[in-house]
Amino acid sequence: MIKNIVFDMGKVLVDYVADASCRHFMTDEAQIREVCTSVFISPEWVLLDMGVIGEEEALERMLSRLSTDHAKEMAALCFWHWHEYNMWPMEGMGELVTALKERGLKIYLCSNASIRLLTCYKEVIPAIHLFDGVLFSAEVRCMKPQKEIYERLFTRFSLKPEECYFIDDQRLNIESAARCGMEGYVYDGDRKKLIVKLSQVLGLELG
């Protein structure tokens, strides 16, 4: 019996656009691409999510790839302010979380995210006050699809994998969670389809 719903964050509860902060501070398309690639589509971004590098060191490495002082200045600006521009709540997901909670489900978050999110996640995740637990990859120094992050989730919140249902936008993450005993659903952005699936899985009327 499913008692817990585990949500991913990006592209599930929260929309994320990597170059949004770049577009806020810059207009030149070539420079936007250069800065976005150096900062947000970089090895350091993954290392930040894994929690194995600090922000200052990550930024220093990112800036080293840029060719002009202006590009470096813009990259630093985008890096320190990305959380203000790159994320916003997905439409209707707060209502879904509320409906699940009202029907007795416990709600958890398991997301690949850097330590920065610990300072601001309450501002962007819909219905965050209803969540029973939050786990970010950088906290535990492992990330999806590694099995270790699911094991940390189960241990931290005393969950049984077979009583959890996972919603993530990446098939690889759903498959790795299933190997740990937690079944799930690959979310493609169609909230109506998700509600139908959850209604079937839970045996409840949600929509």
Side-chain angles (χ1 to χ4, degrees):
M1 179 180 178
I2 300 299
K3 299 179 180 179
N4 313 291
I5 304 298
V6 181
F7 284 96
D8 175 35
M9 184 174 65
K11 298 298 182 180
V12 177
L13 294 172
V14 174
D15 205 355
Y16 173 83
V17 176
D19 68 357
S21 63
C22 299
R23 294 189 177 281
H24 179 80
F25 292 112
M26 294 176 283
T27 57
D28 181 84
E29 286 295 329
Q31 190 163 83
I32 288 171
R33 288 194 299 272
E34 180 187 18
V35 170
C36 183
T37 300
S38 184
V39 176
F40 302 111
I41 309 172
S42 67
E44 292 79 22
W45 198 253
V46 177
L47 295 176
L48 285 166
D49 280 356
M50 291 185 70
V52 297
I53 189 173
E55 289 192 321
E56 294 283 357
E57 182 181 352
L59 179 59
E60 184 177 350
R61 293 187 189 184
M62 293 166 177
L63 298 184
S64 70
R65 290 190 289 268
L66 296 170
S67 56
T68 68
D69 288 342
H70 184 257
K72 292 178 180 181
E73 179 185 349
M74 291 297 101
L77 195 60
C78 293
F79 179 80
W80 291 120
H81 293 276
W82 69 265
H83 60 284
E84 299 169 22
Y85 302 104
N86 289 22
M87 304 179 296
W88 53 89
M90 294 282 274
E91 182 180 356
M93 295 307 284
E95 290 83 352
L96 176 56
V97 170
T98 300
L100 290 166
K101 192 71 175 178
E102 288 176 346
R103 286 157 179 78
L105 280 298
K106 289 193 173 183
I107 310 296
Y108 296 90
L109 180 79
C110 180
S111 180
N112 288 346
S114 68
I115 291 295
R116 178 84 63 89
L117 268 295
L118 290 173
T119 68
C120 62
Y121 73 91
K122 293 181 180 179
E123 299 171 16
V124 293
I125 297 176
I128 188 61
H129 62 287
L130 298 177
F131 278 66
D132 294 278
V134 172
L135 185 144
F136 289 126
S137 57
E139 296 180 80
V140 292
R141 298 199 172 190
C142 54
M143 62 190 297
K144 299 176 295 184
Q146 294 175 299
K147 67 177 183 179
E148 288 80 5
I149 192 167
Y150 306 115
E151 292 169 351
R152 300 288 200 286
L153 175 75
F154 304 144
T155 299
R156 176 178 288 190
F157 301 114
S158 300
L159 303 176
K160 295 179 180 179
E162 65 273 15
E163 294 179 348
C164 299
Y165 195 75
F166 185 36
I167 302 162
D168 194 288
D169 67 314
Q170 298 295 319
R171 182 169 299 278
L172 187 61
N173 295 339
I174 295 296
E175 291 172 348
S176 62
R179 289 193 291 272
C180 294
M182 177 170 62
E183 297 298 325
Y185 177 79
V186 182
Y187 184 56
D188 63 0
D190 189 326
R191 185 166 45 89
K192 291 183 179 180
K193 281 169 51 179
L194 172 60
I195 290 172
V196 169
K197 181 64 176 179
L198 285 173
S199 296
Q200 293 171 347
V201 169
L202 300 170
L204 297 170
E205 181 58 47
L206 293 173

